[in-house]
Amino acid sequence: MRAPASKPTILVVDDTPDNIDLLRAVLEDDYRTKIAVNGERALKIAAGSDQPDLILLDIMMPGMSGYDVCRALKADPATAGIPVIFVTAMSEVADEQLGLALGAVDYITKPISAPIVLARIRTQLAMKQMQDFLRDQNQYLETEVERRVQEVAALQDVTIHAMASLAETRDSETGNHIRRTSHYLKALAEKVRGLPRFRDFLTDKNIELLFKTAPLHDIGKVGIPDHILLKPGRFEPHEMAIMKTHTTLGRDAILAAEHELGIEVDFLKYAKEIAYSHHEKWDGSGYPQGLAGEDIPISARLMALADVYDALISRRIYKQGMDHAQAVRIIVEGRGSHFDAEIVDAFLQIQDQFIAISHRYADGVCEIADKQRQIAPYTGNIS
């Protein structure tokens, strides 16, 4: 970048001293000048820290010709934006056409006219100033757009985290259940994305959206009465019927938030699917709609397996967790009935990832104890 100066800098490239002296005299009142007597020196000056604002370039020089110099300047991103005006005795139309085709902004033939040279320089410097202004404005706008996009993404993340945390505070499950199931879902999605049935849907963007919205799968539990939600034993039939409504309550809560925004957005679309349909089963025996097979959204099919696996292996205040092998047997038994068969097959191929995730986000003793204190009023086990 050129250091600040009171006058623009013009680089004069010519191997003839008389031509250099003449151009220097024409320019001295309005511009700073730098001199290069060959193409190699011109390229070095142009690429330096104090770049010229414009280059006056002779064509016929020993070694590198002016055409060669212009090609090199335009090929280098660091110098491509410097305007080049050819100043030459070569006056044929073909010569001018070639010079302009190489990227020069103007072509002046010798002998030169001082007023014409100055006018051409002023015009090109004004154009460069405008181009620089527009480039800077575009960079600013791009930076601002990126900042706003990051703000929106951060707002989405905070909103999802806040809603998921609200649900977690009223549930018998710990916050690590949310983390584990999100990572299980993402691992499954990345494994099956290459299969024909999933390829179109499981793009990088959608996998990231699923990962971000998976924590909302049980948001509807905030609407379930505490004496049912926190019951440590088996549900009575009427209690189970109420418990099942958490899927509809979750979908409706997210739908209401979407209506408040006034637009449909992707991250809420998938949040609705996961919250509403992650208890559907492949054979149609699930709830709330009794969907079967391909009618179940892919997002919900992935969450179904992730959620069940975590429920099986995780310690709860009312049960011990199964070991991994037991959980695998139960999931395999549900292949083609509870779960999409290809998703089960993918799970079997990435078991090590599931184990690693479960260890990374394992529930600690303190977290279990906190949940025990939370539900103590509903179990009679007040310590």
Side-chain angles (χ1 to χ4, degrees), residues 112-278:
I112 65 168
S113 164
I116 289 177
V117 170
L118 292 173
R120 299 280 184 89
I121 290 174
R122 282 195 297 272
T123 298
Q124 296 304 327
L125 288 179
M127 292 179 64
K128 182 177 184 296
Q129 186 178 34
M130 180 58 67
Q131 290 169 351
D132 290 345
F133 172 78
L134 292 174
R135 184 194 64 239
D136 292 344
Q137 284 294 102
N138 287 338
Q139 290 176 347
Y140 169 76
L141 290 174
E142 289 173 2
T143 301
E144 186 66 11
V145 168
E146 179 61 24
R147 185 182 69 82
R148 295 292 180 90
V149 168
Q150 291 177 355
E151 285 182 355
V152 171
L155 181 59
Q156 290 179 0
D157 291 346
V158 168
T159 300
I160 291 170
H161 179 75
M163 295 174 70
S165 296
L166 175 63
E168 183 263 322
T169 59
R170 298 199 58 253
D171 197 352
S172 60
E173 296 167 338
T174 68
N176 281 337
H177 166 73
I178 291 172
R179 297 182 184 91
R180 289 191 298 268
T181 51
S182 296
H183 283 279
Y184 295 149
L185 183 151
K186 186 175 184 180
L188 282 173
E190 290 176 342
K191 184 62 181 178
V192 302
R193 67 184 302 175
L195 300 176
R197 293 169 55 223
F198 303 99
R199 186 178 298 129
D200 291 343
F201 174 70
L202 291 176
T203 61
D204 288 343
K205 177 184 176 182
N206 281 352
I207 289 175
E208 187 62 23
L209 287 172
L210 293 177
F211 175 71
K212 287 185 175 184
T213 56
L216 298 180
H217 67 280
D218 277 339
I219 185 65
K221 287 183 178 179
V222 297
I224 303 300
D226 285 342
H227 71 277
I228 296 175
L229 181 66
L230 301 178
K231 183 178 180 179
R234 297 177 69 85
F235 292 126
E236 298 296 330
H238 72 281
E239 293 172 330
M240 177 56 76
I242 294 173
M243 189 64 186
K244 286 182 177 180
T245 65
H246 81 275
T247 56
T248 303
L249 291 172
R251 187 276 312 271
D252 290 348
I254 298 169
L255 189 62
E258 192 172 54
H259 285 164
E260 284 294 318
L261 289 174
I263 57 173
E264 183 173 314
V265 290
D266 287 344
F267 88 98
L268 290 180
K269 174 185 176 183
Y270 298 134
K272 286 183 295 184
E273 289 182 355
I274 290 173
Y276 193 43
S277 302
H278 71 283

